[in-house]
Amino acid sequence: MKTLTLTNQAKKTVTVLENEFIDRYMPKANGEYVKVYLMLLRHLDESASLPAPSRLADLLECTEKDILRAFKYWEGQGLLEYKEEAPDRSLQAEVSPSEASLTVAPVSGTDKSVNTRKHGNRKEFKELLFVAEQYLGKTLSATDINAITYFYETLQMSADLIEYLIEYCVENGHKSIHYIQKVALSWHSQDIRTAEQAKTNSVLYNKNCYSILNAYGIKGRAPAASEIAYIRKWHDEYAFSLEIILEACDRTMNMIHQPNFEYTDSILKNWYKKNVHTLEDVSVLDAAFTRAKADKARQQTTQPSKPSGRNKFNNFENRSYDMNDLERRLIQQ
């Protein structure tokens, strides 16, 4: 029986690659992209400056465009960040290879960045992306990652809040990142900063559902799935307060005298397009509508009447004559 002995006597002559990269990222990546990632990792500890894309292209016997496509792919996966600077495009590493991610930026010059992300806690953010993939049931696209980055950095949402945000949307049948972003913006406008506040808001939302049913005169049952979809749209997408929604429900009942979520949605959609936020805004719209209606009525009353279509040959009224009477008059003359 032969014995196989593996030794590792090198230190700087070894490039460390995390198992997470091998297990999670490598199987789905193009082989050329993997080569680019490994080459960057290989040179990461040599100095503060990484090889330029042109140098990497020579080392890997490919084109510079191939290198840049690889950069964008790994950036979309959340493992690499870079800034490009003309003309030399020199690169500089900002993190260690033990983090299984690279951040590449220009040594000096302009701020011509491509989706640059500077996470305060990279480990926390990577874990958040992993959790998001589990909830959404798919590998995150560049669009997904950019949206989550926007929640994390620009909206300053905590990782716990973003995790609950995704859980909340998925549990309610919405996995679209565009829908999730609308809910995130709605929470941000309501100054929801923690997962606990979001959960409290969800309980309040459930109470609002029954308030809306009551406004329609519906009692003794829970809202149907189609009704919930409308209510979520008004609450999450339009970000309307309960009083605005109830006002639209009241107008629906006054106009058609029966519950109709579609009719109410048409009212709220119109208010949303006209940037309504309060009942005072609704009053302003009502006043403008009343003025426009009055102006139209005045214009119609002041316009000259249209000709009847009768010409000079038929302006006379038709007359009937008694021929016997006419004959008698002639004889008497």
Side-chain angles (χ1 to χ4, degrees):
M1 179 178 177
K2 294 184 178 181
T3 302
L4 177 63
T5 303
L6 300 178
T7 60
N8 185 357
Q9 300 175 348
K11 294 182 181 179
K12 290 188 178 181
T13 57
V14 170
T15 298
V16 177
L17 183 66
E18 284 193 352
N19 288 336
E20 182 185 3
F21 177 85
I22 298 173
D23 297 338
R24 182 179 175 191
Y25 296 99
M26 190 178 72
K28 295 173 285 188
N30 178 293
E32 297 301 315
Y33 296 167
V34 173
K35 287 166 62 177
V36 171
Y37 183 88
L38 293 178
M39 187 61 73
L40 286 172
L41 204 61
R42 156 72 177 81
H43 290 279
L44 192 58
D45 274 345
E46 288 186 349
S47 64
S49 180
L50 288 169
S54 58
R55 174 58 179 158
L56 290 172
D58 291 338
L59 291 172
L60 296 174
E61 298 183 352
C62 61
T63 68
E64 189 172 341
K65 288 185 178 180
D66 293 331
I67 300 297
L68 295 178
R69 277 194 290 268
F71 284 178
K72 288 191 176 183
Y73 174 80
W74 291 120
E75 185 176 45
Q77 296 297 311
L79 297 187
L80 181 146
E81 298 172 9
Y82 74 96
K83 288 184 178 181
E84 184 179 356
E85 180 192 10
D88 60 357
R89 296 178 185 171
S90 54
L91 305 174
Q92 179 181 3
E94 292 183 354
V95 297
S96 66
S98 61
E99 293 178 311
S101 62
L102 299 174
T103 300
V104 184
V107 176
S108 62
T110 62
D111 186 24
K112 189 179 179 181
S113 60
V114 181
N115 293 333
T116 304
R117 292 181 291 273
K118 295 179 180 179
H119 310 306
N121 188 331
R122 290 184 176 279
K123 183 178 179 181
E124 178 184 67
F125 188 80
K126 286 170 61 180
E127 290 175 353
L128 177 60
L129 294 180
F130 177 76
V131 170
E133 284 189 338
Q134 305 311 303
Y135 278 120
L136 297 176
K138 66 170 187 175
T139 301
L140 298 181
S141 66
T143 301
D144 299 330
I145 294 174
N146 287 337
I148 296 173
T149 302
Y150 174 73
F151 307 155
Y152 190 77
E153 291 188 349
T154 305
L155 300 185
Q156 295 292 305
M157 298 175 75
S158 67
D160 288 342
L161 179 56
I162 297 173
E163 181 177 338
Y164 179 71
L165 164 70
I166 298 172
E167 176 187 354
Y168 169 83
C169 292
V170 171
E171 285 184 350
N172 289 288
H174 297 283
K175 291 187 177 182
S176 165
I177 196 65
H178 299 293
Y179 182 89
I180 294 172
Q181 183 163 330
K182 287 180 179 179
V183 176
L185 291 172
S186 173
W187 288 3
H188 181 70
S189 68
Q190 298 174 61
D191 200 32
I192 295 174
R193 301 300 179 191
T194 67
E196 289 303 317
Q197 288 176 330
K199 292 174 183 178
T200 301
N201 185 70
S202 297
V203 172
L204 179 62
Y205 163 80
N206 292 331
K207 292 181 179 179
N208 290 350
C209 286
Y210 287 95
S211 297
I212 292 169
L213 291 183
N214 288 335
Y216 281 134
I218 300 173
K219 301 181 183 296
R221 70 166 177 84
S226 60
E227 296 168 346
I228 290 175
Y230 274 117
I231 296 172
R232 289 195 183 284
K233 181 180 180 182
W234 305 335
H235 184 269
D236 295 335
E237 183 177 340
Y238 294 165
F240 280 136
S241 64
L242 178 60
E243 64 178 359
I244 294 289
I245 297 173
L246 293 180
E247 177 65 21
C249 293
D250 289 342
R251 296 189 180 207
T252 298
M253 297 300 292
N254 291 333
M255 289 297 297
I256 62 176
H257 310 293
Q258 63 180 356
N260 190 307
F261 280 80
E262 185 176 359
Y263 189 92
T264 304
D265 183 63
S266 67
I267 296 174
L268 291 172
K269 186 176 182 179
N270 179 56
W271 289 351
Y272 176 72
K273 288 180 178 179
K274 295 183 177 179
N275 204 30
V276 166
H277 297 289
T278 65
L279 289 179
E280 287 75 15
D281 294 336
V282 174
S283 298
V284 171
L285 285 182
D286 289 343
F289 176 79
T290 301
R291 287 194 301 271
K293 189 175 180 180
D295 291 341
K296 185 176 180 180
R298 281 194 299 271
Q299 290 175 2
Q300 290 177 343
T301 56
T302 56
Q303 287 178 353
S305 58
K306 295 182 180 179
S308 62
R310 299 171 64 184
N311 56 37
K312 62 182 180 179
F313 297 105
N314 58 12
N315 284 338
F316 297 100
E317 296 182 0
N318 293 329
R319 300 177 182 179
S320 59
Y321 296 95
D322 186 341
M323 297 305 296
N324 294 328
D325 182 59
L326 286 176
E327 186 176 347
R328 190 180 308 113
R329 290 183 183 183
L330 288 172
I331 293 171
Q332 292 175 353
Q333 289 180 354

